């Protein structure tokens, strides 16, 4: 196209792609996580209720600032816990998937964070949320 150019990393999704159990186990391997944290049911419900504030925003941010991990949007932020980190970092992910978490544990769920996804492990269900990559 003479007017515009688009470069998209990765491949086109193949509708006939087969995923085997080894690939699933590799992605679900918690040992490959950069870090993890526990999300209490109280924090989860609070964050979920706050996501309606910025209806035009589709992104949630997981922020690490001065050893404090928080989740929020542009106009609000909720502290979750302290975390050991040598540098500040922000990871963004679609908030519609956060709302899909089936909080099936009694008090808290473990969330594992890698460079490409968040893995939320529950009693009956697990959820893998892809992070938003910005270049």
């Amino acid at each position: 196209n003479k007017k515009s150019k688009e470069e998209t990393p990765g491949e086109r999704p193949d509708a006939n792609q087969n995923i085997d159990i080894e690939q699933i186990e590799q992605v679900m391997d918690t040992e490959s996580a950069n870090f993890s944290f526990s999300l209490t049911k109280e924090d989860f419900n609070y964050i979920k209720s706050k996501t309606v504030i910025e209806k035009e925003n589709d992104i949630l941010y997981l922020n690490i600032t001065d050893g404090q991990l928080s989740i929020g949007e542009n106009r609000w932020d909720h502290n979750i816990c302290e975390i050991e980190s040598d540098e500040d970092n922000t990871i963004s992910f679609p908030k519609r998937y956060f709302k899909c978490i089936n909080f099936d544990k009694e008090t808290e769920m473990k969330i594992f964070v890698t460079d490409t996804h968040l893995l939320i492990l529950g009693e009956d269900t697990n959820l893998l949320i892809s992070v938003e990559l910005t270049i």
Side-chain angles (χ1 to χ4, degrees):
N1 177 329
K2 292 181 181 181
K3 282 191 144 190
S4 65
K5 179 181 178 182
E6 180 180 333
E7 292 184 21
T8 306
E11 298 178 5
R12 288 187 167 273
D14 183 4
N16 297 323
Q17 185 176 12
N18 293 322
I19 299 174
D20 60 35
I21 194 71
E22 286 94 23
Q23 290 172 309
I24 294 171
E25 288 172 350
Q26 182 179 9
V27 171
M28 301 285 293
D29 180 17
T30 58
E31 295 295 320
S32 65
N34 297 340
F35 63 91
S36 65
F37 65 95
S38 293
L39 182 67
T40 66
K41 189 165 191 137
E42 182 181 341
D43 286 337
F44 171 75
N45 288 334
Y46 181 84
I47 293 167
K48 192 173 177 181
S49 71
K50 288 292 190 184
T51 59
V52 298
I53 292 175
E54 295 183 41
K55 292 183 181 187
E56 68 284 351
N57 180 33
D58 295 330
I59 304 294
L60 275 178
Y61 300 98
L62 190 147
N63 301 300
I64 299 173
T65 307
D66 296 327
Q68 180 69 41
L69 184 137
S70 65
I71 296 177
E73 292 184 82
N74 297 318
R75 295 186 293 198
W76 65 270
D77 197 49
H78 184 68
N79 289 336
I80 303 297
C81 63
E82 291 183 3
I83 193 162
E84 287 187 35
S85 178
D86 295 335
E87 59 185 50
D88 293 350
N89 193 10
T90 297
I91 298 169
S92 57
F93 57 95
K95 75 176 171 183
R96 69 177 176 265
Y97 297 124
F98 182 83
K99 295 184 210 177
C100 293
I101 294 173
N102 181 15
F103 207 103
D104 58 4
K105 295 227 177 174
E106 199 167 307
T107 57
E108 61 185 37
M109 293 182 79
K110 194 79 161 178
I111 298 179
F112 297 88
V113 181
T114 72
D115 292 334
T116 59
H117 62 274
L118 307 177
L119 174 62
I120 298 99
L121 298 179
E123 285 291 324
D124 300 321
T125 60
N126 298 325
L127 180 63
L128 188 70
I129 300 175
S130 178
V131 300
E132 299 278 328
L133 300 175
T134 57
I135 299 173

